[in-house]
Amino acid sequence: MSAPLPPALARWASPLAVLDPVLASALGPLLVRLAAALGPLGGQTRKGGDEPDGYAGLTRRGKLEHLLTSEWGLLDTAPDEFLRRLSQGELSFLEPERKAQAQERRCLVLFDCGPEQLGAPRLAQLAAWIVLAQRASAAGATLHWASLDSEPSESALHTGFDEATVRTFLWARTVMQAPPRQLYAWRKLAEEALGSPDELWLLGGAHWLDVPMTRGVQLLVTEETDDGEALALTLRPSGKRLQLALPPPETQIRLLRDPFTPVGARPGKARAAHRQAVGALVWLPGAKAVCARDSADSGVLVYPIPTKLGASLGPPKLYQQHYGRIRAIGGGPNAIFCVARVNNQLEIRLLKGSLSSLPTGKVTVSEESLRRLNEAGMELLPATLWLQDMPQVMLWLEKLGASLILEFRTKREDGKICDYSWKSQRAALLLSLQTSLMTKLLPYEPAQLIDVQGTVLARLGESYESALLFAGPSPKESVVVKRSEGRWYLPLESKDLAFPELDPDDTVLGATYFGGQVRLVTLSEAGRIVRLVGLGGTKTLTGIGGKLVSAALSPDLPLLAALRESGDLVVWDLETNSRRCQFHGPRDDFEAPEGAGT
């Protein structure tokens, strides 16, 4: 049972309950000082359009439709007297009663997440967020917040203070300094989306003191003192200055990296005692590992797959996403890399091993690309490195039947990446580094199967709808296609061979080759029946057991990874119809590789 908060922190009990109690208490001195400097949220509740609510009595002024009936009688009997009384304000009117409608109050906080605020100044931002949220709540207002360097839009606005939003805040760091025009753009967006908020705060570095503030913007500037033991804060337009003592360095690190983990937790272990794989499964090349999001949404779990039955099984590894949400994961012969999203940027990072051909770095993507990523949902995506002409990293968006291609162009002899471009193109994901194949579907052109040199191995025809790549007996026999009529085919040079018609409710997981035959692997809608569909017939797979919430077929080997409803992850060998390995879930023995945090 956690220790109660000190009485001085009671008013912030709700947001501090999200954090580890020891770390929450360490923020206490910052909260108390900031709250005293900021004071309560001023102003009165804004009134909206009033609604009629009967009549309050009589008045000498009003609209003619509210004139008393007896006064209209005077118009018939003595019209001249009626006009005199009207001009002199002597007629009686009914006075309408109105019910006041309070308009919701809103505040907006913009966090400058640029280089000036990296490190300890982020603690002041975190503390100020908690204080501003509490004072807004006390005044009946809603606090909205956003990262200043993100694209101004309603979708970039956040509310609430919980683990998910705190992680979003902690990930929102960038080495780029937001220009003043970004503040002006957010000010305009606030007027349109929030109806002129009661307060608009900018929390940033010292350079904002020299930037002319737009009307209604309040500034909180944070700088670290020379000795690194305190933070110097400046408030504008009030001109107040204060100094906040920093907690010990190890506490600062925990607050900025993972403020939810108990201080006494054992290093190298995952924080949650009940953690398991959730959502879509992604195979790494060569069928060496299966990846999935963890149930706490703090990173990606990588499950090592033994090369043969009976081989030793190591524990899964947890690669935590301290900085940016991991959207996709891929690998090479002895490497693992990921694509993380930080606001409107994607960053390619190496998680394990070395891969000299991998272009690492950030690229700012377009609104259209972000929209496509959002449409694809928040499932973990497979990413693959493609080296034709120039390095590319491809993200396969299964729900859209398309790929988003990150293309990296080099302009210097030393190979340093200095120019990025984002391409959107419908294409089937290349298989892996092992086979180096991909299919292309370009507008108004026949679909093609190509290799990494760009050689066209097969033309798939005009009626191609989708394709699946797998490790076949030869490169030309490593793709199955779905035609526009909905039937699956194995395209050969002489003719196309048709697979039996599939159950309309089944999902095709992929294609595989073993025993001299190419087979489709399907999963029933209820998640309980796995079928192997060959050119000569269909076979139901038995032995996996339980309802499957997700499944993925390795494109390299006839191995099926399946996540059971119980949380167990099982890998099934399709060739021998036997279990290769099984990971029980939930579990708490995940390893955190050194330096694996992203």
Side-chain angles (χ1 to χ4, degrees), residues 64-358:
L64 288 177
E65 56 261 33
H66 295 148
L67 187 67
L68 289 179
T69 305
S70 58
E71 300 286 22
W72 286 114
L74 183 63
L75 176 62
D76 295 332
T77 58
D80 291 340
E81 178 63 15
F82 176 85
L83 292 176
R84 186 193 69 77
R85 292 188 182 185
L86 179 63
S87 63
Q88 297 298 319
E90 297 178 3
L91 295 176
S92 297
F93 297 81
L94 291 171
E95 182 180 8
E97 179 75 82
R98 297 191 178 277
K99 181 167 53 179
Q101 298 295 309
Q103 197 174 62
E104 183 181 0
R105 305 183 71 186
R106 298 181 177 91
C107 301
L108 175 61
V109 178
L110 298 174
F111 295 106
D112 179 0
C113 302
E116 284 185 326
Q117 297 294 280
L118 294 179
R122 292 282 280 170
L123 292 178
Q125 290 189 345
L126 178 61
W129 179 17
I130 294 174
V131 171
L132 290 171
Q134 186 277 331
R135 70 196 284 272
S137 177
T142 300
L143 184 77
H144 301 260
W145 67 271
S147 173
L148 179 65
D149 66 305
S150 61
E151 190 67 25
S153 65
E154 290 190 50
S155 62
L157 291 172
H158 305 274
T159 57
F161 188 97
D162 52 29
E163 184 168 337
T165 54
V166 173
R167 288 192 187 279
T168 301
F169 165 79
L170 294 176
W171 296 337
R173 298 180 300 205
T174 176
V175 295
M176 303 297 292
Q177 185 66 63
R181 65 174 179 273
Q182 194 74 359
L183 172 61
Y184 307 147
W186 271 110
R187 183 71 179 89
K188 181 179 179 181
L189 187 278
E191 295 281 353
E192 298 171 353
L194 304 180
S196 186
D198 290 71
E199 285 187 341
L200 195 162
W201 284 90
L202 170 61
L203 277 58
H207 86 281
W208 288 106
L209 293 172
D210 300 323
V211 176
M213 290 291 106
T214 59
R215 177 179 54 86
V217 175
Q218 300 188 66
L219 182 63
L220 174 59
V221 168
T222 304
E223 300 175 90
E224 194 169 359
T225 58
D226 293 337
D227 58 13
E229 295 182 356
L231 295 172
L233 275 64
T234 303
L235 292 168
R236 293 285 178 85
S238 68
K240 293 182 180 179
R241 296 176 181 271
L242 64 154
Q243 189 164 298
L244 305 178
L246 285 168
E250 60 273 14
T251 303
Q252 297 179 42
I253 293 172
R254 287 183 178 274
L255 281 166
L256 295 176
R257 289 189 176 178
D258 186 6
F260 320 105
T261 302
V263 174
R266 289 177 295 167
K269 297 292 181 179
R271 174 180 62 90
H274 301 288
R275 191 180 300 229
Q276 64 187 51
V278 294
L281 303 175
V282 176
W283 281 92
L284 293 183
K288 295 181 178 180
V290 175
C291 308
R293 290 200 185 282
D294 79 295
S295 53
D297 196 24
S298 64
V300 171
L301 299 170
V302 178
Y303 294 82
I305 306 304
T307 56
K308 60 182 179 180
L309 186 64
S312 60
L313 191 64
K317 292 180 172 58
L318 172 63
Y319 292 89
Q320 291 186 301
Q321 48 191 14
H322 295 309
Y323 176 27
R325 195 172 205 267
I326 296 178
R327 291 305 319 270
I329 195 163
N334 296 293
I336 301 175
F337 69 90
C338 73
V339 180
R341 177 175 175 178
V342 183
N343 297 326
N344 61 339
Q345 291 183 315
L346 293 180
E347 182 174 5
I348 299 177
R349 304 178 187 144
L350 190 64
L351 298 179
K352 175 188 175 183
S354 61
L355 197 58
S356 59
S357 54
L358 179 71

Side-chain angles (χ1 to χ4, degrees), residues 52 138 281 309 322 370 496 519 522:
L281 303 175
L309 186 64
H322 295 309
L370 292 177
D496 291 351
R519 296 174 172 87
T522 68

Side-chain angles (χ1 to χ4, degrees), residues 20-38:
D20 171 67
V22 175
L23 299 179
S25 297
L27 273 180
L30 282 72
L31 301 179
V32 173
R33 293 290 308 283
L34 275 170
L38 296 176

Side-chain angles (χ1 to χ4, degrees), residues 354-407:
S354 61
L355 197 58
S356 59
S357 54
L358 179 71
T360 57
K362 287 184 179 178
V363 54
T364 300
V365 299
S366 65
E367 280 288 331
E368 172 67 14
S369 298
L370 292 177
R371 183 185 64 79
R372 286 173 174 259
L373 279 174
N374 291 335
E375 287 179 3
M378 298 310 295
E379 298 281 10
L380 185 65
L381 305 172
T384 314
L385 179 62
W386 181 252
L387 297 173
Q388 181 186 346
D389 298 329
M390 61 187 66
Q392 297 177 340
V393 173
M394 303 176 64
L395 278 63
W396 176 236
L397 310 183
E398 183 178 6
K399 291 184 179 179
L400 306 184
S403 291
L404 290 181
I405 303 174
L406 279 172
E407 182 178 277

